[in-house]
């Protein structure tokens, strides 16, 4: 915060409740950092062109190496041997820009961090499976299956996989990497890992796993989901994606299944995508919930409203269907952030009791919504309302709420209105 206050670091993305998610730095600060890193031998930086002509190593060699693409866009070729390398990072290197034989030279047996950036591999590179000291691995694959030899990486803590494939099949051996903390698929929306179908009874637990992106077909694997999650006692952040990618609210069918998650006592953040018509039993300690393509009537939202610790709620495309949402008394007592996006809602009624802690409201692509509840004008905790691509009458009701807040002495409420491609920002 000190650096931000001095404008040395700039915030580019914030979290729902205002925390900082992504930062960037000015060019001059970046140049200073690079020079200092070289001076302290903290980090060595190469471009692909330099690797072709480089003949020696800095003395002593830096344990961290960052590689950028060639200026011509051609393949990166190197015979650079870095036996004591601990961290290897590739930036902006795309498919075809990394020569396969060069990778063998760059992969030190002592590597702990390997980020292969945007380089795409058709199959999981065999050389990586011998890096037994690896803690962090980020890779892009065009192959759905992860090899069983991944268990050789017995110290792995973070495993992040990306690519065009929507789900990656984990081997049975994944249960034996006891150090795993994060299993992630990027980009995160609509993607996840599939666990193989087998009897989980004899497999060990992943006791330290905190973050998981999971893909599954609930119609055939709802019991399997319960078994998988029961073996993840420390899970804190969970993303579940329905593996049936051809979802729409009209053809989703009527399911009476209930996915029980209430036993996940450490779960704080949950995202559920494409689980149409399924019921859920949520854990009481849940703090953040995101739903998309859930397809439930608004009458079913009471189960969410009664969660005592819920602070962030994001209701996205078709998460709830119907024209009218009537919030009941005593619901959402601790809600601080609310987002409604791509919903078919027309009327929304609430009382002051529902918004006693609300700090930020985001309305996005709710074309039919006629009005925002006027009781928001009495919510003194409210700092910001964003309205993007909504009906004019909803925009007017937000402006009225801002005026009411001013009349009550709250001059800090800021409203942001986006209409088509025209930005309009108003603040007191």
């Amino acid at each position: 915060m000190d650096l931000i206050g001095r404008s040395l670091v700039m915030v580019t993305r914030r979290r729902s409740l205002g925390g900082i998610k992504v930062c960037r730095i000015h060019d001059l600060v970046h140049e200073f950092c690079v020079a200092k890193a070289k001076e302290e031998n903290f980090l060595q930086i190469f471009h692909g062109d330099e690797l072709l002509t480089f003949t020696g190593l800095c003395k002593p060699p830096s344990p961290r190496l960052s590689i950028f693409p060639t200026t011509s866009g051609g393949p990166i070729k190197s015979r650079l041997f870095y036996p004591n390398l601990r961290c290897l990072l590739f930036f902006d290197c795309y498919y075809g820009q990394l020569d396969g034989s060069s990778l063998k030279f760059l992969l030190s047996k002592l590597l702990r961090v390997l980020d292969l950036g945007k380089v795409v591999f058709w199959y999981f590179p065999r050389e990586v499976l011998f890096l037994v000291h690896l803690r962090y691995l980020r890779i892009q694959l065009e192959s759905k299956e992860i090899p069983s030899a991944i268990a050789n990486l017995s110290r792995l803590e973070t495993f992040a996989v990306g690519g065009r494939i929507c789900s990656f099949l984990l081997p049975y051996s994944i249960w034996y990497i006891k150090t795993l903390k994060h299993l992630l698929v990027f980009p995160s929306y609509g993607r996840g890992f599939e666990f193989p179908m087998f009897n989980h009874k004899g497999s060990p637990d992943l006791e330290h796993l905190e973050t998981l992106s999971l893909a599954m077909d609930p119609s055939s694997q709802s019991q399997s989901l319960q078994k998988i999650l029961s073996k993840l006692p420390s899970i804190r952040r969970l993303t579940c994606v329905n593996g049936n990618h051809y979802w729409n609210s009209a053809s989703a069918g009527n399911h009476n299944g209930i996915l029980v998650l209430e036993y996940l006592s450490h779960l704080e953040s949950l995202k559920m995508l494409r689980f149409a018509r399924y019921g859920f039993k949520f854990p009481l300690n849940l703090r953040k919930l995101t739903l998309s393509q859930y397809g439930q009537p608004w009458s079913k939202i009471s189960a969410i409203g009664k969660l005592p610790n819920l602070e962030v709620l994001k209701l996205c495309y078709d998460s709830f269907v119907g024209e009218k949402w009537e919030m009941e008394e005593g619901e959402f007592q601790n809600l601080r952030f609310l987002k409604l996006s791509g919903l078919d809602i027309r009327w929304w009624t609430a009382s002051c009791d529902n918004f006693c802690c609300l700090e930020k409201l985001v309305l996005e692509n709710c074309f039919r919504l006629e009005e925002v509840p006027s009781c928001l004008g009495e919510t003194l905790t409210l700092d910001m309302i964003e309205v993007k691509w909504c009906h004019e009458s909803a925009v007017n009701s937000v402006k009225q709420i801002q005026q009411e807040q001013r009349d009550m002495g709250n001059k800090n409420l800021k409203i942001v209105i986006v209409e088509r491609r025209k930005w309009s920002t108003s603040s007191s």
Side-chain angles (χ1 to χ4, degrees):
M1 295 306 298
D2 231 10
L3 295 173
I4 292 170
R6 299 179 187 182
S7 298
L8 294 173
V9 172
M10 298 174 288
V11 179
T12 54
R13 285 179 62 192
R14 289 189 177 272
R15 300 186 183 277
S16 301
L17 295 177
I20 298 166
K21 195 169 189 177
V22 179
C23 290
R24 63 187 303 178
I25 57 177
H26 293 282
D27 291 345
L28 290 175
V29 179
H30 177 262
E31 290 176 11
F32 169 78
C33 291
V34 169
K36 197 69 176 176
K38 186 176 181 180
E39 177 188 330
E40 299 288 340
N41 202 25
F42 179 82
L43 173 69
Q44 188 77 11
I45 298 176
F46 283 115
H47 287 78
D49 311 84
E50 296 172 311
L51 286 173
L52 293 171
T53 57
F54 192 75
T55 56
L57 286 173
C58 54
K59 296 180 181 180
S62 169
R64 302 169 190 86
L65 178 62
S66 176
I67 298 177
F68 289 80
T70 58
T71 54
S72 63
I76 297 172
K77 295 183 179 181
S78 172
R79 293 297 179 267
L80 180 63
F81 183 54
Y82 233 131
N84 297 316
L85 193 63
R86 299 295 195 275
C87 176
L88 177 59
L89 311 173
F90 286 85
F91 284 95
D92 298 327
C93 298
Y94 291 87
Y95 169 73
Q97 290 184 322
L98 178 62
D99 178 65
S101 60
S102 299
L103 186 62
K104 297 178 184 179
F105 281 87
L106 290 168
L107 295 183
S108 161
K109 292 291 192 292
L110 299 177
L111 267 181
R112 295 185 179 183
V113 174
L114 176 59
D115 189 334
L116 291 161
K118 298 176 183 177
V119 180
V120 179
F121 295 87
W122 290 102
Y123 299 99
F124 199 98
R126 186 169 173 268
E127 297 81 8
V128 174
L129 298 172
F130 294 100
L131 305 177
V132 296
H133 295 283
L134 211 58
R135 265 71 162 175
Y136 178 97
L137 174 60
R138 187 178 188 271
I139 187 171
Q140 295 220 49
L141 292 174
E142 285 298 311
S143 173
K144 179 182 176 71
E145 294 190 8
I146 307 297
S148 59
I150 190 77
N152 292 344
L153 309 180
S154 59
R155 295 178 174 86
L156 195 63
E157 296 178 3
T158 299
F159 183 35
V161 184
R164 293 179 296 180
I165 295 174
C166 289
S167 60
F168 297 90
L169 182 60
L170 292 170
Y172 177 83
S173 60
I174 198 72
W175 294 103
Y176 293 92
I177 307 180
K178 305 291 288 181
T179 54
L180 270 177
K181 292 183 179 180
H182 310 285
L183 277 171
L184 303 168
V185 174
F186 61 92
S188 60
Y189 188 82
R191 290 173 165 83
F193 286 107
E194 293 180 38
F195 281 82
M197 293 294 291
F198 56 83
N199 184 2
H200 298 273
K201 208 170 197 180
S203 61
D205 294 353
L206 292 178
E207 297 178 356
H208 302 290
L209 193 69
E210 298 179 6
T211 310
L212 173 63
S213 301
L214 180 64
M216 59 163 292
D217 182 357
S219 61
S220 61
Q221 293 179 292
S222 59
Q223 293 302 315
S224 179
L225 174 65
Q226 314 297 151
K227 292 177 181 177
I228 291 170
L229 295 180
S230 67
K231 304 184 78 61
L232 310 175
S234 301
I235 199 76
R236 294 177 56 214
R237 293 173 292 272
L238 176 63
T239 299
C240 283
V241 181
N242 189 336
N244 180 10
H245 306 296
Y246 301 100
W247 185 96
N248 63 70
S249 56
S251 62
N254 293 313
H255 301 293
N256 296 317
I258 296 179
L259 300 177
V260 180
L261 305 174
E262 59 186 355
Y263 58 89
L264 300 175
S265 58
H266 295 284
L267 190 65
E268 296 179 1
S269 175
L270 176 64
K271 296 180 182 179
M272 305 295 294
L273 175 63
R274 291 195 291 261
F275 284 85
R277 311 292 197 272
Y278 278 85
F280 289 93
K281 289 187 177 180
F282 298 108
L284 295 178
N285 51 287
L286 199 63
R287 295 180 61 243
K288 183 177 180 179
L289 177 62
T290 302
L291 296 174
S292 181
Q293 297 168 312
Y294 185 38
Q296 293 281 6
W298 284 105
S299 58
K300 298 288 186 180
I301 200 173
S302 292
I304 297 173
K306 293 175 183 177
L307 294 173
N309 298 311
L310 190 66
E311 296 181 350
V312 177
L313 177 61
K314 299 179 182 180
L315 303 178
C316 303
Y317 176 69
D318 274 355
S319 54
F320 286 91
V321 294
E323 292 188 330
K324 191 171 186 178
W325 178 18
E326 293 183 90
M327 300 178 77
E328 297 181 5
E329 188 176 349
E331 292 181 342
F332 303 104
Q333 291 293 290
N334 290 305
L335 197 65
R336 298 169 59 192
F337 177 95
L338 176 61
K339 179 179 181 178
L340 307 180
S341 177
L343 302 178
D344 199 31
I345 185 174
R346 188 173 180 181
W347 298 289
W348 178 17
T349 60
S351 66
C352 301
D353 183 55
N354 301 127
F355 300 123
C356 55
C357 295
L358 193 67
E359 297 173 8
K360 185 174 181 179
L361 172 66
V362 177
L363 303 174
E364 186 176 276
N365 290 323
C366 295
F367 303 109
R368 302 185 66 198
L369 182 63
E370 295 184 356
E371 188 179 35
V372 174
S374 59
C375 59
L376 279 169
E378 302 174 30
T379 305
L380 294 179
T381 56
L382 197 59
D383 293 325
M384 177 178 287
I385 302 178
E386 291 184 14
V387 185
K388 302 178 180 179
W389 310 296
C390 291
H391 196 277
E392 185 181 356
S393 61
V395 172
N396 291 334
S397 67
V398 168
K399 292 179 179 178
Q400 180 62 36
I401 288 170
Q402 185 186 41
Q403 185 57 51
E404 291 177 13
Q405 289 272 4
R406 286 175 175 171
D407 294 342
M408 293 177 62
N410 180 14
K411 298 181 180 181
N412 297 319
L413 176 61
K414 180 180 180 181
I415 64 173
V416 177
I417 299 169
V418 181
E419 298 174 310
R420 297 179 182 175
R421 295 185 179 181
K422 181 180 178 181
W423 286 77
S424 174
T425 304
S426 174
S427 59
S428 55

